[in-house]
Amino acid sequence: MLTNFTIHKKWIGIVILMLFSLSFQAQSTLSGQITSNKTPVDFASVYLKGTQLGTSTDTSGKFQIKNIPAGTYTIIASSVGFISEKKTITFKENENITLNFNLKEDNAVLDEVVISGTMKEVSKLASPVPVEVYTAKFFKANPTPSIFESLQNVNGVRPQLNCNVCNTGDIHINGLEGPYTMVLIDGMPIVSGLSTVYGLTGIPQSLIERVEIVKGPASTLYGSEAVGGLINIITKKPSSAPLVSTDIFATTWEEVNADVGVKYNLGKKVDALLGVNYFNYSNPIDNNNDGFTDVTLQNRISLFNKFSFQRKNNRVFTVAGRYVYEDRWGGEMNWEPKYRGGNEVYGESIYTSRWETFGIYQLPTTELINFQFSANGHNQNSVYGDTKYLADQYIAFGQFTWNKVLGKHDILTGAAYRYTYYDDNTPATAKGENLENDPAITHLPGFFVQDEITFNQQHKLLIGMRYDYNSIHGGILSPRVNYKWTSPNQKNILRLSVGNGYRVANVFTEDHAALTGARDVVFEDELLPETSWNGNINFVKKIYLEGGTFIGLDASAFYTYFSNQILPDYETDPNKIIYSNLDGSSVSQGISLNVDVTLKNGLKINAGGTLMDVTVEEDGKKYRQLLTERFQGVWSAGYTIKSLGLTIDYTGNLYGPMRLPVLGELDDRPEFSPWWSIQNIQLTKNFGEHFQLYGGVKNLLNYTPPANSIARAFDPFDENVVFDGNGQVIPTSDNPNALTFDPSYVFAPNQGIRGFLGFRYTLY
């Protein structure tokens, strides 16, 4: 890996020298102010379309962009809650131009730029694929140490904890398990496989521009894993990021989280953005008195660096890299590292070391051809009691895309290739009677094409097809069709979509329950790829009332049908987890509604609810999928007292009952969880232009799951459990409910009420 780094370093140095060798051209400066009704708009984005040049306004709405080559450019000014405005300006050599913008309010926030639905930048209003956009400001209303926890206030999205001991988790979209969700950074597939469970942490939030969410299959563009939907984390452009951004907070549980971002330059042609995230929690707490830590102890550091190269004709070239190291453990309160992997004191200890690199290079051609690439390596060293899980995974991805507009047709074609190497110490990578080690290597070349047809301003049709060839499972086709209708006044939008998704599963990288607890893992057959068909109807309506009140409605109905689905069977045998392709079908269906309300006095409310039904049908029986709620509600209310410079944010969520994995008929724990809610309040005070102080209370209701969620926490190695000849538990006077140690009965975080205090410092 060091050799590769040396080669990359040498290559970057050569590129920089080549850029410096170009002849010098006198460059211009653009400055101005952005206002709305004579009020400055702070932190608005200003950029030159088609280039990497841009910046953000300060608290007085002023901006300045330097080093602009001579030429004609379209200048775009945009901010959340306002309609974007653009002006065309011609710059001569060594010219200073002043340009002001007056933005009009658009509380529906429908004109934001998104890329996730069609793999190219389009306005949210014009996108035929419904894309939900959440800005950094949204997540600041409830600060968290990771993007995993930040998603708890997004309608239809739920961070799911998979273990009461080590607190690893994944992201559910519309009730579908985490491995069905693809996570990307800047449009590149980074989080998959091992990191679906372990790696969705450590992304410096100070560098996040926005998060885009697409619900439903996106395999036509993004391939395997994008079955239930995708989450695209868009990082800031180095040219428009602040010089310094700092966000540090601590809680009364003695958690500490620090985010630091710094912008710097490597000469005049290379802009760079460095981000560091550090999180530490080293205070064992056992409030429910079960002898186990309520929350895992963690020590995590993440380093992120992004480079943007200025090229001739403003062609795009960016490269970014990230490294994450995490040491986490949970278990009995008297656990120490010396007990790691033994059977004296139970603990689950996970060492994660992960690197990533990704970028985009626009080819020097008259046609718009981009080469996108990413690679990552993930090393996992884990123990669950006396069970060890050691794994290495390496993924390399490359993709060429060509975008061509022919009349009413906007065509995007691409060719992609993904290489996956996976090795571990489980039967998943063993062969033969002697179980010799046999790492899994998968080649996945693919080709896709989509045609976005604009009939007129009201009607748009998107059709697409992808073909992938998996070196193990063969060829897979993934088609999709999307249609968008917009009313003449653009206050009503209807979107219809039908698509196909597929996924190749690896149980040990995706299901933490396969490794923890006392259950044996059983594979009935070789696991085949899962496939799904999805239909979605989305309707958006904007309502303007007298007095300045605005109401925005965003409603959806969804239906997903799965075949060959892989679901863990906890119920056939309480001592086993049985994995096989479903001999039947499963369905995820439901409706959701998001409501945005803005009052003239400045009160803003965002609320949403999803009513869903996720069922499995097999052998003539129909039942609810485990760990899936029927109802989810979220809300966020914010109000700013301008005279005091004080903002109040109240956020929360509400979940309906979920069916839980009990250990047989004698298990006295409830089969269904209760209704539960996590609510938070925060006060934020601005001091001048650069400094911000915030604090509040998390989990106001002090909700935690039942104290007996971990079965037989007092006997984690099952030393006093009696089994019969078939491996079944025999009820005894010491174990009348025939239980074994099992931490998989989990549906809510085990962390109670706590206060927090933090500050943000931003320098432009």
Side-chain angles (χ1 to χ4, degrees), residues 148-149 159-168 253 255 281 283-296 330-331 333 676-678 698-699 702-710 713 743 745-754:
F148 172 81
E149 296 171 63
Q160 165 67 39
L161 291 178
N162 294 324
C163 174
N164 272 309
V165 180
C166 69
N167 294 155
T168 54
W253 277 48
E255 300 162 294
Y281 172 59
N283 179 34
I285 293 177
D286 180 22
N287 285 338
N288 63 7
N289 298 315
D290 64 355
F292 274 67
T293 53
D294 290 342
V295 178
T296 55
M333 290 290 288
W676 60 281
S677 175
I678 302 294
K698 290 180 177 290
N699 197 355
N702 195 29
Y703 180 79
T704 55
N708 65 341
S709 292
I710 300 179
Y745 184 94
V746 56
F747 60 90
N750 213 23
Q751 192 171 22
I753 189 171
R754 60 205 181 278

Side-chain angles (χ1 to χ4, degrees), residues 179-423:
Y180 297 107
T181 300
M182 172 172 274
V183 180
L184 308 101
I185 300 180
D186 288 342
M188 288 292 94
I190 291 295
V191 180
S192 59
L194 273 173
S195 52
T196 301
V197 175
Y198 302 101
L200 198 58
T201 54
I203 299 173
Q205 297 199 61
S206 62
L207 303 184
I208 294 176
E209 179 75 22
R210 66 185 186 273
V211 175
E212 300 178 3
I213 298 177
V214 176
K215 298 173 182 176
S219 291
T220 301
L221 284 183
Y222 295 97
S224 179
E225 282 110 41
V227 176
L230 65 88
I231 298 172
N232 193 359
I233 301 167
I234 309 296
T235 61
K236 294 178 180 178
K237 295 180 179 180
S239 58
S240 59
L243 288 175
V244 178
S245 58
T246 303
D247 190 342
I248 300 174
F249 73 87
T251 74
T252 53
W253 277 48
E254 300 182 22
E255 300 162 294
V256 177
N257 185 77
D259 265 323
V260 179
V262 178
K263 180 171 72 172
Y264 61 98
N265 302 104
L266 297 176
K268 295 183 179 180
K269 295 293 185 178
V270 183
D271 299 319
L273 187 60
L274 172 67
V276 180
N277 170 257
Y278 178 71
F279 176 74
N280 181 271
Y281 172 59
S282 305
N283 179 34
I285 293 177
D286 180 22
N287 285 338
N288 63 7
N289 298 315
D290 64 355
F292 274 67
T293 53
D294 290 342
V295 178
T296 55
L297 288 82
Q298 300 177 51
N299 193 31
R300 179 181 70 239
I301 187 167
S302 173
L303 304 175
F304 176 91
N305 213 150
K306 186 175 185 178
F307 299 94
S308 178
F309 301 87
Q310 296 181 27
R311 300 174 58 210
K312 186 178 179 180
N313 297 325
N314 299 310
R315 293 189 176 96
V316 177
F317 180 26
T318 63
V319 178
R322 184 170 76 110
Y323 176 76
V324 183
Y325 178 79
E326 182 182 69
D327 175 3
R328 69 160 63 197
W329 75 269
E332 295 185 88
M333 290 290 288
N334 61 334
W335 187 89
E336 298 178 21
K338 66 182 180 180
Y339 298 119
R340 193 175 194 269
N343 59 5
E344 296 179 63
V345 180
Y346 188 89
E348 298 189 359
S349 171
I350 301 172
Y351 300 151
T352 299
S353 179
R354 178 177 175 83
W355 61 267
E356 304 163 350
T357 184
F358 53 94
I360 179 172
Y361 177 81
Q362 183 180 344
L363 271 61
T365 61
T366 55
E367 297 291 335
L368 182 53
I369 302 175
N370 290 324
F371 174 63
Q372 298 168 300
F373 57 91
S374 68
N376 63 74
H378 190 113
N379 174 264
Q380 193 76 34
N381 183 328
S382 309
V383 297
Y384 306 90
D386 55 1
T387 300
K388 294 182 179 181
Y389 175 63
L390 308 175
D392 289 291
Q393 179 175 269
Y394 300 97
I395 299 176
F397 175 82
Q399 175 173 272
F400 283 96
T401 63
W402 176 40
N403 191 195
K404 183 72 173 179
V405 178
L406 298 172
K408 296 182 178 180
H409 299 267
D410 190 343
I411 301 172
L412 179 71
T413 62
Y417 171 76
R418 184 187 299 184
Y419 168 88
T420 302
Y421 171 94
Y422 175 75
D423 188 20

Side-chain angles (χ1 to χ4, degrees), residues 418 420 441-445 468-475:
R418 184 187 299 184
T420 302
I441 296 177
T442 306
H443 302 276
L444 188 66
D468 285 305
Y469 185 83
N470 186 289
S471 58
I472 298 176
H473 300 287

Side-chain angles (χ1 to χ4, degrees), residues 66-91:
K66 299 180 179 180
N67 302 322
I68 302 174
T72 300
Y73 302 92
T74 298
I75 317 299
I76 298 178
S78 63
S79 182
V80 176
F82 297 91
I83 298 175
S84 300
E85 186 177 344
K86 56 186 177 181
K87 298 180 181 181
T88 301
I89 298 292
T90 299
F91 292 86

Side-chain angles (χ1 to χ4, degrees), residues 548-718:
T549 298
F550 166 80
I551 301 175
L553 303 177
D554 189 331
S556 294
F558 56 89
Y559 180 90
T560 304
Y561 177 90
F562 283 93
S563 57
N564 278 347
Q565 190 173 19
I566 301 168
L567 293 174
D569 179 1
Y570 293 88
E571 298 169 300
T572 299
D573 188 330
N575 299 309
K576 297 178 180 179
I577 305 178
I578 302 173
Y579 292 93
S580 63
N581 286 106
L582 185 66
D583 186 15
S585 62
S586 65
V587 170
S588 169
Q589 58 187 333
I591 55 175
S592 68
L593 175 66
N594 286 318
V595 181
D596 293 314
V597 179
T598 301
L599 304 181
K600 188 176 182 180
N601 63 6
L603 176 64
K604 296 184 178 181
I605 301 173
N606 177 282
T610 300
L611 186 64
M612 69 186 86
D613 181 28
V614 183
T615 57
V616 179
E617 187 169 358
E618 188 174 25
D619 298 329
K621 298 180 181 180
K622 191 174 183 179
Y623 54 89
R624 281 179 60 181
Q625 183 173 301
L626 289 170
L627 297 172
T628 302
E629 68 278 13
R630 292 207 175 211
F631 176 81
Q632 176 194 4
V634 297
W635 64 86
S636 176
Y639 180 73
T640 299
I641 306 174
K642 295 183 179 179
S643 60
L644 300 177
L646 184 68
T647 300
I648 304 172
D649 290 295
Y650 171 51
T651 59
N653 49 51
L654 175 67
Y655 298 103
M658 310 174 196
R659 196 166 70 91
L660 303 175
V662 295
L663 294 174
E665 297 180 356
L666 297 179
D667 193 334
D668 59 349
R669 296 174 298 175
E671 185 181 0
F672 288 89
S673 65
W675 287 83
W676 60 281
S677 175
I678 302 294
Q679 301 176 26
N680 321 284
I681 193 165
Q682 175 183 260
L683 301 179
T684 304
K685 170 68 176 175
N686 291 319
F687 294 90
E689 299 180 358
H690 307 292
F691 188 78
Q692 194 176 73
L693 184 68
Y694 62 90
V697 179
K698 290 180 177 290
N699 197 355
L700 283 165
L701 304 180
N702 195 29
Y703 180 79
T704 55
N708 65 341
S709 292
I710 300 179
R712 290 186 67 83
F714 56 88
D715 186 18
F717 295 102
D718 289 341

